[in-house]
Amino acid sequence: MKSIIKSKVQIHLLFWILYYILEAYLDFYWSRYQFPDFTWQIRLQNTLLLELGYLLIKIPLAYLLLYVYEKIHFNKVIKCILYILIIILAVLGHRFFTHYIIYPYIYGVTETLGDKQPSGFINGLVAFNSFMDLIFMVGLVFGVEITRQKNMLKEQISQLKSEKLDQELTMLKAQINPHFLFNTLNNIYGMALKKADETPDVILQLSKIMRYNIYEAAEKSISIEKDIENIKDFLQIQKIRHHHLSVQLQESIDNPSQEISPLILIQFVENAFKHGVSESLGESFITIDIKLADGILTYSIENSKEERAHQHSTKIGLKNIRRQLELLYPKHRLTVENKTDRYIVQLKIDFNDTSNL
């Protein structure tokens, strides 16, 4: 709230400084023809003084009209009457200052019309000139304030969208295969009963995965090197669970520090095990190919499945993944082939695309 108020004060202060400079320049330029006998120093001094005096009328007028516009909740007719009354008072104040102070005390002459006839305090022409001077200023002030409010509203909407996106991504990440932990713990329990030598390694790999999911996954982005390392730990544990599994992982990364949203790539691997490999009764395989070249990621997974596996068993998992990709990488390309005996997934992300930012 303080930053918004501070910004409003700064914008309006800058406006009045620029407006004062503009009006002073125009009056100074006009005074060359109105008072040709005055030196430029006197004309400049007089111009600066009279514009300061006008600001004492214009600033209260502008903010009084803004207050009526924003805060007064009367019907339109009453608000229009208020606008008219305020502007009439402002025109009278403008005329009083011009007629009784500027000309006799600043310029030292009597105010005249274009035909050199003395001008009274109020008449049609001079009142119209005062009215136009004030309305021009009011239009500028309203334009600046309405523009500022629209920009502030856009920022608030953008912030709300960002917060909503973050909340949705957090929710989607929380949906990632919670059964993996329980299944792995059951395997470790069985290995511990058998006093298998691999038990400490499996516990270490599981702890690394949990650390990744708790800490690394909370970040908006991590290096692709860390993301691949998490996939490798996941595969090592799965090899112990699935003894008749053939795993091939190929990687070609030209920039290990390339940032990527965590838990995107691993979900395809989890999906391959949950709805493919885990349903296979005999020999099964999973082949993973990860390539990153010139900021373009090409990621493919191919895994075996039973011919009579449930045809729609991957819909929920893929729906989750697709939604995350839509939010994070709008211009990605994802293809999924559900063949008789295998699944083939191919993903392409261009990290150079600014729409991903």
Side-chain angles (χ1 to χ4, degrees):
M1 185 64 181
K2 289 183 178 180
S3 62
I4 294 175
I5 295 175
K6 183 179 179 181
S7 174
K8 180 178 180 179
V9 170
Q10 291 174 340
I11 290 173
H12 281 253
L13 181 61
L14 178 61
F15 166 80
W16 287 115
I17 291 173
L18 294 177
Y19 177 79
Y20 176 77
I21 293 172
L22 173 64
E23 288 291 295
Y25 170 76
L26 293 175
D27 263 332
F28 178 70
Y29 184 82
W30 168 80
S31 67
R32 293 191 304 172
Y33 305 100
Q34 186 75 5
F35 306 104
D37 298 332
F38 289 5
T39 65
W40 72 268
Q41 292 92 339
I42 293 176
R43 288 190 291 110
L44 178 61
Q45 175 182 308
N46 291 343
T47 298
L48 296 177
L49 286 173
L50 71 91
E51 287 304 328
L52 280 175
Y54 278 139
L55 283 183
L56 297 178
I57 300 171
K58 293 178 177 179
I59 291 177
L61 168 65
Y63 291 110
L64 185 57
L65 290 176
L66 277 175
Y67 180 82
V68 173
Y69 174 76
E70 295 177 347
K71 305 296 184 181
I72 303 299
H73 303 296
F74 296 142
N75 61 50
K76 293 182 179 179
V77 175
I78 296 178
K79 292 186 79 168
C80 286
I81 294 173
L82 282 175
Y83 290 144
I84 293 171
L85 291 175
I86 292 169
I87 291 173
I88 290 174
L89 290 175
V91 169
L92 292 174
H94 190 280
R95 285 299 305 137
F96 180 88
F97 181 70
T98 302
H99 187 75
Y100 291 109
I101 297 177
I102 290 178
Y103 279 92
Y105 292 103
I106 295 181
Y107 290 131
V109 296
T110 301
E111 183 183 16
T112 59
L113 299 174
D115 56 3
K116 302 299 181 181
Q117 294 295 321
S119 170
F121 167 68
I122 192 75
N123 64 49
L125 179 61
V126 294
F128 179 76
N129 289 337
S130 295
F131 172 78
M132 291 304 296
D133 184 31
L134 295 174
I135 287 299
F136 173 71
M137 176 276 304
V138 169
L140 290 177
V141 172
F142 269 70
V144 169
E145 178 59 18
I146 291 173
T147 301
R148 185 194 68 82
Q149 291 179 4
K150 285 184 177 180
N151 290 335
M152 184 177 68
L153 182 60
K154 286 181 180 179
E155 291 179 2
Q156 291 174 343
I157 292 174
S158 177
Q159 184 177 357
L160 288 174
K161 286 182 177 179
S162 178
E163 291 175 356
K164 181 181 178 182
L165 185 146
D166 289 341
Q167 291 173 356
E168 186 171 354
L169 285 174
T170 301
M171 180 187 69
L172 290 170
K173 288 177 181 179
Q175 296 173 7
I176 296 171
N177 197 0
H179 301 291
F180 166 73
L181 174 62
F182 301 110
N183 290 336
T184 304
L185 288 174
N186 285 334
N187 285 114
I188 292 174
Y189 176 72
M191 294 170 64
L193 290 177
K194 297 178 182 178
K195 297 182 180 180
D197 295 335
E198 303 95 334
T199 304
D201 293 333
V202 176
I203 294 174
L204 179 61
Q205 287 163 347
L206 178 61
S207 67
K208 288 172 65 179
I209 291 175
M210 296 309 299
R211 186 182 302 111
Y212 178 91
N213 279 269
I214 294 172
Y215 297 108
E216 302 288 354
E219 302 294 330
K220 287 189 175 181
S221 61
I222 59 168
S223 68
I224 195 168
E225 183 179 36
K226 289 183 178 180
D227 211 39
I228 294 175
E229 186 64 29
N230 182 57
I231 293 175
K232 290 178 179 178
D233 290 330
F234 179 84
L235 290 174
Q236 287 298 321
I237 291 179
Q238 294 292 359
K239 285 180 182 179
I240 297 172
R241 293 182 56 202
H242 304 279
H243 301 290
H244 302 289
L245 172 65
S246 173
V247 177
Q248 292 184 7
L249 172 61
Q250 298 178 344
E251 57 177 305
S252 176
I253 308 297
D254 66 353
N255 181 17
S257 61
Q258 170 66 54
E259 292 191 341
I260 186 174
S261 178
L263 301 178
I264 288 292
L265 302 183
I266 188 66
Q267 291 184 73
F268 291 102
V269 183
E270 290 183 343
N271 208 54
F273 278 98
K274 184 177 181 181
H275 302 293
V277 175
S278 63
E279 295 178 349
S280 299
L281 301 177
E283 296 291 333
S284 57
F285 71 88
I286 178 169
T287 302
I288 303 172
D289 188 12
I290 307 174
K291 293 181 181 178
L292 178 66
D294 299 324
I296 298 177
L297 173 69
T298 305
Y299 181 54
S300 63
I301 297 181
E302 183 175 347
N303 64 274
S304 59
K305 74 180 185 71
E306 290 293 311
E307 293 186 9
R308 295 184 180 180
H310 298 293
Q311 295 297 313
H312 304 290
S313 60
T314 63
K315 279 192 173 181
I316 297 177
L318 283 176
K319 183 179 180 181
N320 186 323
I321 299 170
R322 289 183 190 276
R323 181 55 182 157
Q324 291 188 59
L325 288 170
E326 288 172 4
L327 294 171
L328 295 165
Y329 306 105
K331 294 187 179 180
H332 72 280
R333 286 194 299 175
L334 175 64
T335 59
V336 179
E337 296 182 65
N338 188 357
K339 295 188 175 182
T340 304
D341 60 343
R342 67 190 61 200
Y343 290 111
I344 302 174
V345 178
Q346 292 183 321
L347 172 66
K348 185 175 182 179
I349 298 175
D350 186 355
F351 293 112
N352 301 310
D353 191 346
T354 56
S355 65
N356 294 326
L357 300 178

